[in-house]
Amino acid sequence: MYLFPYQNPLRLAHDIVQSEVKNKISTTYTDDVRSLVNSMLNKEANLRPTADHILQSSLISAKSSEFDQKIWELNSGTRRAKISSSASADVLPVVTSKSSENPQGRQIVGQLGHGDAASYKAPKKVAALEGKLIKQVSCGEDFTMCVSDDGILFGFGSDYFGCLGCENKHGDEVLTPVVVDYFISCPIEQVSCGDTHIMILTQAGDVYSWGSGEYGKLGLGSEDDYATPQKVHTRGRHGIHSVCAGSEGSFLIKRNGRVLACGSNEFNRLGFNSSAKGLKRTEELSYDIPCKYVFTTVKPLSKYNIVAMATGKTHTAAVDCFGHLILFGCNRYGQLGLGDCRPHNGVHRISGSLTGKIVTKVACGDGFTVAATEDNQIYSWGLAENGRIGTTLHESHKTDGKCVSTLPRPIFGSLHAVSDVACQHWNTILVAEKLLAQKTIRSTSVLSASSKDADPCSSTTDEEPFEFHADFLEDSSYCNKELADSEFIPVSQENSEKQTDDDSLQELVYHQAETIRTQETTITHLEDKVSQLTAS
């Protein structure tokens, strides 16, 4: 091409405007190229071709397919940008059905498995999986994986990163479930999906991963993408108990309670970072580990026997065998439950209102955390905007203009036994059972407290635990005879304040009825003792 041999910027600008560059392009280029470039360098703006005219020229249009292939190859390592931009772009939803809408503005690419690219307002059975017993489902950014009862793996949705594990043979968008042939002879035990990658644990105890390899989150020693399952090799004699795929990282929980992780450690969401005191008492040294390309032991978690993990965008939760909750990662909105919004290095066992509680379920969302305990309490904390934590906060709880709760607080009280909980972005879904639907409720703490208040000298250590029968409530006007055996409780930005008030009122009524019954039983018990003492 023509070169202006100047280093002075002002002289260069002057010559670009004043000089005539036409016919000065090197003859090593074809006449078509020289003609196109000359037209693009025309000083008259109305004579220069537009971008559309350039793309429609014979020179460009003849090579369009080659250009597309080259662009695809060059972008193989940065395809994640497509997903990130589509998630944050404020665009209208793409809807192919008049009766459906996509309120989040995301494109439907078959991740619902209904054979079309439409969104649906109401749940619809996936017809292609009719007659198959599905034991587990996991969702990625725009794809879905599910495991049948006999260990067969199905996938549908976007295969842009090769997440369906079929080597792109079904195209970029798979509208109906397809079988991942790789595991036909190797039954699946567990599947976990990150935004753009998958982790698999087989019934034989082997671990496989595939999809986007950015930041080394596949644990294969590189950032390469894979469209077929790749076996992950781990060290140690203890087998793998479970797998957990996060947005930009992955975790393996070993049978001895140790945790291995790989991927991006931004915000310390993998838990690798540690801190130590320096030579001065006020000096604290922080050791920041940016990422890991292979699965490595998370040493700060080695003192815990971890049995379950949950990941969010910027933070992670772990539960040990004693029900202790451990959190680490970003604390911008108080999602670590430490009482503030300051950064915290290392991993942290949560106390406060969770002291003495046994955590059974935990999930991490977009800047918030939800946990359920063995005594049927449900706690939430972190960013409260758009109903994320299922409760309304006052203006006094604002930080940086956003409502936050920096400590765990109960949201449904003690009336629900949670069998599962899941968080994604700003939404939470709980699967819970009301205790009023159970036949018998055992309570030792209430009886113990009531007995001590009535008779300070009495002891309940040798007493049988008090059994409160739900039959007592059947004739009470306070109770609802039509309670379902189980409930599906969504907590989202459309959470109704009225429903929350109803739940709170029902909890209060139940507690009052239980207290009355407990007091009556205690009085009867004391009267019997008095009668026995009098008779003797």
Side-chain angles (χ1 to χ4, degrees):
M1 294 291 183
Y2 178 79
L3 178 64
F4 292 97
Y6 305 111
Q7 295 183 351
N8 189 318
L10 294 178
R11 180 67 183 275
L12 176 61
H14 177 272
D15 280 7
I16 290 177
V17 175
Q18 299 296 330
S19 300
E20 183 63 44
V21 298
K22 190 174 183 179
N23 298 326
K24 291 187 178 181
I25 300 173
S26 173
T27 56
T28 57
Y29 298 98
T30 64
D31 293 339
D32 291 338
V33 173
R34 297 173 63 193
S35 175
L36 178 61
V37 173
N38 280 328
S39 64
M40 295 167 62
L41 294 176
N42 199 308
K43 295 179 182 180
E44 298 293 334
N46 58 339
L47 297 179
R48 289 196 296 269
T50 64
D52 290 337
H53 290 156
I54 295 174
L55 293 175
Q56 293 172 4
S57 65
S58 58
L59 179 65
I60 301 298
S61 60
K63 300 287 186 179
S64 60
S65 60
E66 296 181 15
F67 290 157
D68 291 341
Q69 180 64 28
K70 190 64 176 178
I71 292 173
W72 174 271
E73 295 174 358
L74 293 174
N75 289 339
S76 60
T78 58
R79 292 178 188 171
R80 180 179 175 275
K82 173 177 180 279
I83 301 296
S84 300
S85 61
S86 63
S88 59
D90 185 14
V91 297
L92 294 176
V94 178
V95 179
T96 60
S97 174
K98 293 182 179 179
S99 62
S100 61
E101 63 180 8
N102 183 7
Q104 296 180 4
R106 298 189 58 81
Q107 185 174 2
I108 305 298
V109 290
Q111 59 264 49
L112 302 183
H114 294 316
D116 54 36
S119 56
Y120 292 82
K121 293 181 179 179
K124 179 183 178 182
K125 183 186 295 184
V126 180
L129 295 176
E130 185 97 33
K132 297 178 175 61
L133 298 177
I134 303 300
K135 68 176 182 180
Q136 189 196 357
V137 174
S138 184
C139 298
E141 190 71 33
D142 50 8
F143 66 95
T144 307
M145 308 296 290
C146 53
V147 181
S148 67
D149 194 49
D150 53 357
I152 302 300
L153 183 65
F154 297 88
F156 44 95
S158 172
D159 201 22
Y160 191 82
F161 292 95
C163 292
L164 301 187
C166 299
E167 209 168 3
N168 300 116
K169 65 181 181 181
H170 299 288
D172 283 348
E173 298 179 6
V174 180
L175 304 181
T176 56
V178 295
V179 176
V180 182
D181 297 331
Y182 191 93
F183 297 104
I184 290 294
S185 59
C186 185
I188 300 298
E189 177 65 25
Q190 182 193 1
V191 58
S192 181
C193 297
D195 286 350
T196 56
H197 76 294
I198 296 94
M199 299 296 299
I200 286 288
L201 176 64
T202 67
Q203 294 181 5
D206 296 323
V207 177
Y208 291 84
S209 65
W210 68 94
S212 171
E214 192 172 20
Y215 305 119
K217 57 190 174 185
L218 297 182
L220 302 174
S222 70
E223 291 190 272
D224 296 338
D225 298 346
Y226 291 92
T228 55
Q230 307 292 314
K231 188 172 182 179
V232 178
H233 298 281
T234 58
R235 298 179 180 178
R237 55 189 178 88
H238 296 282
I240 303 300
H241 172 264
S242 61
V243 297
C244 179
S247 59
E248 300 299 343
S250 303
F251 293 92
L252 301 179
I253 303 177
K254 303 184 77 171
R255 297 190 183 279
N256 63 348
R258 297 294 180 264
V259 176
L260 309 178
C262 65
S264 171
N265 193 42
E266 186 180 11
F267 310 114
N268 192 37
R269 57 187 165 193
L270 299 184
F272 284 120
N273 293 354
S274 60
S275 59
K277 297 295 182 181
L279 297 177
K280 298 180 180 178
R281 291 185 178 181
T282 59
E283 182 183 6
E284 184 174 296
L285 302 177
S286 178
Y287 301 93
D288 189 7
I289 298 175
C291 65
K292 291 284 188 179
Y293 289 153
V294 295
F295 280 101
T296 307
T297 301
V298 183
K299 292 183 178 180
L301 289 177
S302 296
K303 61 182 179 180
Y304 302 102
N305 189 335
I306 303 300
V307 296
M309 301 197 70
T311 61
K313 284 289 185 182
T314 59
H315 73 296
T316 305
V319 179
D320 71 0
C321 61
F322 299 106
H324 299 146
L325 180 61
I326 301 99
L327 288 170
F328 47 94
C330 178
N331 192 44
R332 179 179 180 183
Y333 303 112
Q335 58 263 49
L336 298 187
L338 301 175
D340 56 50
C341 295
R342 297 184 292 105
H344 291 271
N345 290 319
V347 300
H348 307 275
R349 176 180 160 185
I350 308 305
S351 55
S353 58
L354 291 180
T355 301
K357 303 285 187 180
I358 298 177
V359 176
T360 57
K361 301 289 181 181
V362 65
C364 300
D366 180 14
F368 68 99
T369 310
V370 179
T373 60
E374 190 180 50
D375 61 347
N376 309 312
Q377 295 273 354
I378 305 172
Y379 294 86
S380 65
W381 61 96
L383 182 62
E385 298 290 320
N386 298 321
R388 280 174 170 86
I389 62 174
T391 185
T392 303
L393 299 179
H394 300 292
E395 293 293 324
S396 58
H397 293 85
K398 282 198 170 183
T399 300
D400 294 335
K402 296 181 181 295
C403 287
V404 300
S405 174
T406 58
L407 290 172
R409 59 175 62 207
I411 56 176
F412 283 110
S414 58
L415 291 182
H416 297 85
V418 175
S419 59
D420 205 357
V421 57
C423 296
Q424 184 72 5
H425 299 301
W426 55 81
N427 300 314
T428 299
I429 291 180
L430 297 169
V431 181
E433 180 184 3
K434 283 198 173 182
L435 295 185
L436 286 177
Q438 295 181 358
K439 296 298 181 183
T440 302
I441 302 172
R442 295 182 179 272
S443 175
T444 56
S445 58
V446 175
L447 175 60
S448 178
S450 301
S451 300
K452 290 179 181 178
D453 292 340
D455 185 0
C457 298
S458 64
S459 174
T460 58
T461 55
D462 297 328
E463 300 291 340
E464 291 294 325
F466 165 64
E467 291 190 2
F468 173 68
H469 293 274
D471 297 336
F472 163 76
L473 297 175
E474 290 185 358
D475 296 331
S476 174
S477 59
Y478 297 108
C479 299
N480 183 2
K481 295 182 180 180
E482 298 178 357
L483 288 175
D485 289 339
S486 61
E487 284 196 350
F488 183 75
I489 306 172
V491 181
S492 65
Q493 62 183 25
E494 297 180 356
N495 182 39
S496 171
E497 294 183 4
K498 181 178 182 302
Q499 182 65 38
T500 303
D501 294 339
D502 291 343
D503 287 341
S504 300
L505 178 60
Q506 196 173 36
E507 293 173 22
L508 179 61
V509 169
Y510 176 76
H511 280 301
Q512 290 175 345
E514 184 181 9
T515 302
I516 292 171
R517 177 59 177 171
T518 302
Q519 291 174 349
E520 291 177 350
T521 305
T522 303
I523 292 172
T524 303
H525 180 72
L526 293 174
E527 288 177 348
D528 292 339
K529 279 193 171 183
V530 171
S531 299
Q532 292 174 3
L533 292 173
T534 303
S536 62

